[in-house]
Amino acid sequence: AFDNAVDAGYAYMTCQWVHLAKGNYEAVLALKEKALGAYQKAFSLHGYVYSCLAVSLSYAFMGQWDAAVKEGERALKVAEEHSDASLASFATCSLCNAHNVSGDTAKALEFAHQAVEKASSPNDHLWGRVFLGRTLCHSGEVEKGLDYLDVAVQEFRKASADVTLVAFSAMLVEGYW
């Protein structure tokens, strides 16, 4: 048990992302109420939004696209209510992903462009361009999409961001495929 709700929320949210990286989507969902419950006691904007996004991505990878969109929309709403462009950009990446994997590339492109537009830092911009690149590949604009993905993979390689590099390299391979 945790005496500090903010620390508890961050611990649960971090566990969610670890489980997400390992493909343990049910475990991510099982931690949702604990993480969000902690943030009801002591709110943390970043922790709350990141928890919602881990859930959204899990639902998307499980094929539960409506639930993925709902969680992404929740994250986006909270980020926008708190005027946090970085979190809003990341939330739109999640919404892009949900629509992309469901086959709705038109809606995915809309959110991918929003992710780039909302980006408030070079990192946010890079993430937005990754999702834009992947979606462009899915929509038939393969060369343009590959350009975005290739640059992103190179940047994450320079930063030694290994976990992210693996995920984004897979997107680049998917684009070539």
Side-chain angles (χ1 to χ4, degrees), residues 2 7 25 32 38 45 47 52 56 71 73 76 84 88 96 102 106 109 115 121 125 134 137 140 151 153 158 168:
F2 292 91
D7 289 344
Y25 308 128
K32 174 185 170 184
L45 176 61
C52 291
S56 176
E71 290 298 325
E73 288 173 342
L76 179 58
D84 192 308
C96 169
S102 75
L109 274 171
S121 73
H125 194 260
R134 182 177 187 219
C137 288
V151 168
V153 166
K158 286 182 205 172
F168 293 161

Side-chain angles (χ1 to χ4, degrees), residues 70-127:
K70 181 180 174 184
E71 290 298 325
E73 288 173 342
R74 179 198 318 222
L76 179 58
K77 179 182 177 196
V78 171
E80 288 179 338
E81 285 173 354
H82 289 84
S83 302
D84 192 308
S86 178
L87 291 175
S89 177
F90 195 37
T92 55
C93 287
S94 175
L95 286 162
C96 169
N97 180 69
H99 289 291
N100 207 352
V101 297
S102 75
D104 187 350
T105 53
K107 195 72 168 172
L109 274 171
E110 178 184 324
F111 282 110
H113 285 292
Q114 284 182 34
V116 173
E117 291 166 11
K118 291 177 185 294
S120 63
S121 73
N123 186 56
D124 297 339
H125 194 260
L126 188 58
W127 276 76

Side-chain angles (χ1 to χ4, degrees), residues 10-171:
Y10 271 109
Y12 293 131
M13 179 270 299
T14 300
C15 287
Q16 286 179 295
W17 281 90
V18 168
H19 284 298
L20 179 68
K22 293 171 65 176
N24 297 333
Y25 308 128
E26 293 291 343
V28 174
L29 302 180
L31 288 168
K32 174 185 170 184
E33 295 308 318
K34 288 182 178 183
L36 298 183
Y39 292 130
Q40 286 179 346
K41 294 176 185 173
F43 186 70
S44 163
L45 176 61
H46 286 83
Y48 184 92
V49 170
Y50 283 131
S51 180
C52 291
L53 294 176
V55 171
S56 176
L57 290 167
S58 293
Y59 277 133
F61 295 140
M62 295 170 68
Q64 297 179 31
W65 301 303
D66 290 341
V69 169
K70 181 180 174 184
E71 290 298 325
E73 288 173 342
R74 179 198 318 222
L76 179 58
K77 179 182 177 196
V78 171
E80 288 179 338
E81 285 173 354
H82 289 84
S83 302
D84 192 308
S86 178
L87 291 175
S89 177
F90 195 37
T92 55
C93 287
S94 175
L95 286 162
C96 169
N97 180 69
H99 289 291
N100 207 352
V101 297
S102 75
D104 187 350
T105 53
K107 195 72 168 172
L109 274 171
E110 178 184 324
F111 282 110
H113 285 292
Q114 284 182 34
V116 173
E117 291 166 11
K118 291 177 185 294
S120 63
S121 73
N123 186 56
D124 297 339
H125 194 260
L126 188 58
W127 276 76
R129 290 171 57 96
V130 164
F131 284 89
L132 177 58
R134 182 177 187 219
T135 306
L136 287 167
C137 288
H138 282 220
S139 69
E141 294 184 60
V142 177
E143 291 301 317
K144 189 174 183 181
L146 289 174
D147 288 343
Y148 286 134
L149 290 168
D150 185 51
V151 168
V153 166
Q154 290 176 37
E155 291 299 315
F156 283 105
R157 185 176 290 124
K158 286 182 205 172
S160 297
D162 296 336
V163 172
T164 308
L165 182 60
V166 169
F168 293 161
S169 294
M171 290 181 186

